[in-house]
Amino acid sequence: MIEGIIVKGVGGFYYVKTDEDIIECRARGIFREENLTPLIGDRVLIRISSEDNTGYIEKILPRKTQMIRPPVANVTQVIIVMSIKKPNINPWLLDKFIVMAEREKLNILICINKLDLDSDKGQELIDMYKDIGYKVIGTSAKTELGIDELRESLNNNISVFAGPSGVGKSSLLNSINKDFELKTGDVSSKTRRGKHTTRHVELLEFDKTAYVLDTPGFGSLYLNFIEDEIELRDYFIEIKRYGVGCRFISCLHENEPDCSVKKQVELGNIHESRYNSYLDFLQEIRKNRRY
Ligand SMILES: Nc1nc2c(ncn2[C@@H]2O[C@H](COP(=O)(O)OP(=O)(O)OP(=O)(O)O)[C@@H](O)[C@H]2O)c(=O)[nH]1
Ligand SMILES: [Zn+2]
């Protein structure tokens, strides 16, 4: 049997990239019995028929991670893209994407794009999130600033881009590799096009150790997957860090006495906008639970 990775799935067929080739495969019926669906990103063992060079997926190797939207296995890294302008940077939204990615326990790379439009403001934000402890790259798909660094970050990862519409996710992918040729443009023209073409999620191979999903992750940003509000503390890494010093183990860092997090906000060691995002998401989780 040969090992490969599923890079695409269309209508019951799976396209498995091996060292030499891309093989069109079907899944063994046994997976259905086991209620197991092969996913894009799955490492699989296949048997190839010598007659027509199509194959059967015989075994799915253990998954490292499993993303729900879009359904992809073994994603290791999320590249969260925000633009400094057009659309304007929205730290609250950035924090939300970070929470989604932290929850999935994925490596996070923050990419502040369109730096050509306002590099001062961009740098401010880059410094802020670096200070928190994140890996941040400032980029411009227009001037190719930061593209080499972004390309390098793909090595040894299955990456997925995430971020709001229009920030330049497709443009960045195209700058990384001209062969990708993803459609870019303003939102309205893309929506029109989208109505007539069925989109399939596909893993783009950048090189043997670097795959990128052609479809953005985390389309829905509802926090309803968080069942217990106490979870949220762990998805803000600096709040988690400073929270160790709170008087109460169960401190939610709102109005509890001797809260180390509140103190660090006052001292300026936790950014106010991050703390505000935290409080806001906490309310959202509570509201969800009431329904
Ligand atoms: N000035 C400037 N414009 C950019 C940059 N990157 C992308 N753009 C423009 O921003 C617009 C949106 O870019 P896309 O790459 O389509 O954005 P996207 O994030 O893929 O958008 P969706 O597919 O809707 O999620 C296009 O008109 C791009 O030309 C950049 O670095 N600087
Ligand atoms: Zn506290």
Side-chain angles (χ1 to χ4, degrees):
M1 280 190 285
I2 300 178
E3 190 179 328
I5 177 170
I6 301 178
V7 292
K8 192 164 72 166
V10 181
F13 289 100
Y14 299 94
Y15 295 83
V16 177
K17 174 98 189 33
T18 67
D19 275 347
E20 281 107 47
D21 225 344
I22 292 182
I23 312 282
E24 186 181 276
C25 293
R26 261 178 279 238
R28 281 258 175 252
I30 183 161
F31 294 129
R32 220 170 305 132
E33 284 158 34
E34 291 172 357
N35 216 353
L36 190 66
T37 312
L39 294 177
I40 290 156
D42 264 328
R43 299 236 160 236
V44 292
L45 297 180
I46 61 171
R47 197 183 296 282
I48 301 173
S49 139
S50 52
E51 278 167 30
D52 57 0
N53 206 39
T54 64
Y56 266 102
I57 297 174
E58 299 279 351
K59 191 173 166 53
I60 300 172
L61 300 179
R63 288 171 182 156
K64 279 190 232 161
T65 60
Q66 183 173 340
M67 230 168 89
I68 313 237
R69 260 182 310 231
V72 185
N74 298 323
V75 170
T76 53
Q77 170 171 262
V78 181
I79 301 172
I80 302 173
V81 184
M82 288 279 151
S83 59
I84 202 69
K85 274 191 170 157
K86 293 187 183 177
N88 280 342
I89 188 84
N90 178 343
W92 177 88
L93 203 53
L94 173 54
D95 291 336
K96 202 143 203 196
F97 276 103
I98 291 174
V99 165
M100 312 288 289
E102 289 286 359
R103 172 121 204 296
E104 306 260 345
K105 297 191 169 57
L106 299 167
N107 290 328
I108 295 173
L109 174 65
I110 297 170
C111 178
I112 306 295
N113 190 37
K114 306 200 188 185
L115 230 58
D116 56 287
L117 297 179
D118 189 341
S119 62
D120 287 349
K121 185 138 190 263
Q123 198 54 49
E124 216 174 276
L125 215 87
I126 291 168
D127 292 343
M128 169 177 161
Y129 280 86
K130 271 189 178 165
D131 182 47
I132 293 167
Y134 284 107
K135 215 179 132 194
V136 192
I137 306 181
T139 58
S140 166
K142 199 170 174 188
T143 67
E144 305 241 310
L145 173 83
I147 299 301
D148 287 341
E149 200 182 344
L150 184 60
R151 192 183 289 123
E152 221 151 87
S153 73
L154 299 180
N155 290 335
N156 301 311
N157 276 305
I158 294 182
S159 305
V160 55
F161 279 78
S165 184
V167 294
K169 298 180 294 297
S170 308
S171 305
L172 286 170
L173 263 169
N174 287 336
S175 311
I176 288 169
N177 186 347
K178 307 285 185 246
D179 294 340
F180 288 163
E181 285 178 27
L182 295 184
K183 301 260 190 297
T184 63
D186 63 285
V187 181
S188 57
S189 72
K190 242 187 297 200
T191 319
R192 271 203 303 279
R193 199 164 34 226
K195 278 190 184 132
H196 301 290
T197 50
T198 321
R199 292 277 286 112
H200 297 288
V201 180
E202 186 172 351
L203 267 188
L204 307 169
E205 185 189 31
F206 182 62
D207 74 32
K208 280 208 163 50
T209 72
Y211 288 90
V212 188
L213 205 66
D214 72 341
T215 306
F218 308 130
S220 152
L221 287 175
Y222 291 109
L223 295 176
N224 50 11
F225 56 85
I226 297 180
E227 277 157 27
D228 193 342
E229 60 197 19
I230 202 137
E231 261 183 67
L232 187 66
R233 308 184 302 182
D234 296 338
Y235 305 144
F236 284 76
I237 54 174
E238 74 279 44
I239 288 180
K240 183 179 182 183
R241 226 167 27 229
Y242 285 116
V244 176
C246 296
R247 192 210 293 187
F248 299 111
I249 290 177
S250 61
C251 189
L252 283 172
H253 321 310
E254 292 179 288
N255 299 307
E256 296 90 336
D258 292 334
C259 171
S260 148
V261 168
K262 284 203 79 158
K263 182 184 255 159
Q264 295 302 329
V265 174
E266 276 158 30
L267 291 172
N269 292 327
I270 293 177
H271 294 272
E272 210 154 339
S273 81
R274 289 276 292 171
Y275 182 59
N276 288 339
S277 295
Y278 168 78
L279 292 179
D280 190 71
F281 298 168
L282 207 54
Q283 290 309 324
E284 183 183 330
I285 293 165
R286 286 182 182 142
K287 211 158 61 193
N288 287 338
R289 238 189 0 204
R290 256 178 258 140
Y291 294 116

